[in-house]
Structures are given as C-alpha cells and as structure tokens.
C-alpha cells in the first residue's frame, strides 16, 4: 500500500476522512490536507488515472491492515478436524454437552469427527446415536460421506455449512 510522499502521481481522486468525495486534487494539496488533519494519505489503487486516494486516520489504518493479515492467515490455515468421543450408551445431559461442544466447533469453522468406541455388541446403538447427533447438528453442519462402522468404532464427520 502506497502512503503519503510515496505517491508519485500529479493528481489524485481524493476521499475525505469520513468518506466524503473531495474530487480531483493535486498530490501536494492532498498531502497538505493530510498534514493539517494529522492523518495519512493512502493510495487505494494504481490501476486508474488519477489514482483514488483516501485520507485515513493512522490508528484505524494500522488496525485495518492487521485485520486483513489475520483473515489471510486464517484462510491459509484451512479447516481443522476436531474429534469428539462418545460412548454408545450416553446419558442425556452428557449428550447435550457434546452437542453444544460440536456446535461451537462447527460455528468457528472447523469440522467435527464424531467417534463412538465400541465394546461388545453395541454397534447398532452407536450408529443410532451418531445419526441422532448428525440430525441435531443439521442447522450448523452437514455430514460428509456416510457413517463408517469398523470393528472397534463408529465414525461420522460433520463439516460446517
């Protein structure tokens, strides 16, 4: 981003601190206005002539740049998959707690892997539990693939909407 004296254009299309349109102004005059108001003159784009520039408060400008960097970092990271373990015969209050935990993870943008560890012959109860939990989480996530029943566990992955 080009700021203050680094702007080389002879004229700029100037926008004020509060978003008001100040029209086409010489760069020297725009810099003078910026110094008087104790703000920065920021060039928004070099693709047009005259380049659009804005008078921006220094603290808000830095804050905006930091927010943009944080968003970029978050999109670079991508989505994580977090595991929630359950038992086939879970009590209602424990079920509600796990459901709220899954909702919180899904709304933050991460996927949830629901895992029920099996003991003895409880695969049908585990599958029904996961189906119910997926139905309850429909408002904030959707199931990816199907429910996988392997020898020792039942697994379903729910991705955020």
């Amino acid at each position: 981003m080009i700021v203050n004296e680094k702007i080389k254009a002879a004229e700029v299309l100037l926008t004020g601190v509060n978003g008001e349109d100040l029209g086409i102004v010489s760069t020297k005059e725009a810099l003078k206005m910026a110094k008087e108001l104790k703000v920065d003159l920021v060039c928004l784009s070099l693709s047009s002539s005259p380049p659009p520039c804005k008078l921006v408060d220094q603290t808000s400008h830095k804050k905006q740049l930091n927010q943009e960097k944080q968003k970029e970092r978050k999109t670079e990271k991508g989505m994580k998959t977090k595991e929630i373990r359950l038992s086939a015969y879970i009590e209602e209050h424990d079920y509600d707690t796990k459901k709220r935990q899954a909702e919180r993870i899904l709304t933050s943008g991460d996927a949830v892997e629901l895992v029920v560890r099996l003991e003895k012959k409880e695969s049908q109860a585990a599958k029904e539990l996961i189906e119910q939990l997926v139905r309850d989480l429909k408002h904030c996530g959707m199931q990816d693939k199907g429910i996988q029943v392997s020898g020792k566990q039942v697994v379903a992955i729910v991705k955020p909407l």
Side-chain angles (χ1 to χ4, degrees), residues 104-117:
R104 191 175 64 242
I105 292 168
L106 288 168
T107 53
S108 73
D110 293 326
V112 176
E113 182 179 28
L114 304 168
V115 178
V116 179
R117 304 273 178 190

Side-chain angles (χ1 to χ4, degrees), residues 46-62:
L46 294 174
S47 61
S48 62
S49 180
C53 293
K54 186 174 184 179
L55 296 173
V56 179
D57 184 27
Q58 295 164 340
T59 55
S60 67
H61 175 62
K62 287 181 182 178

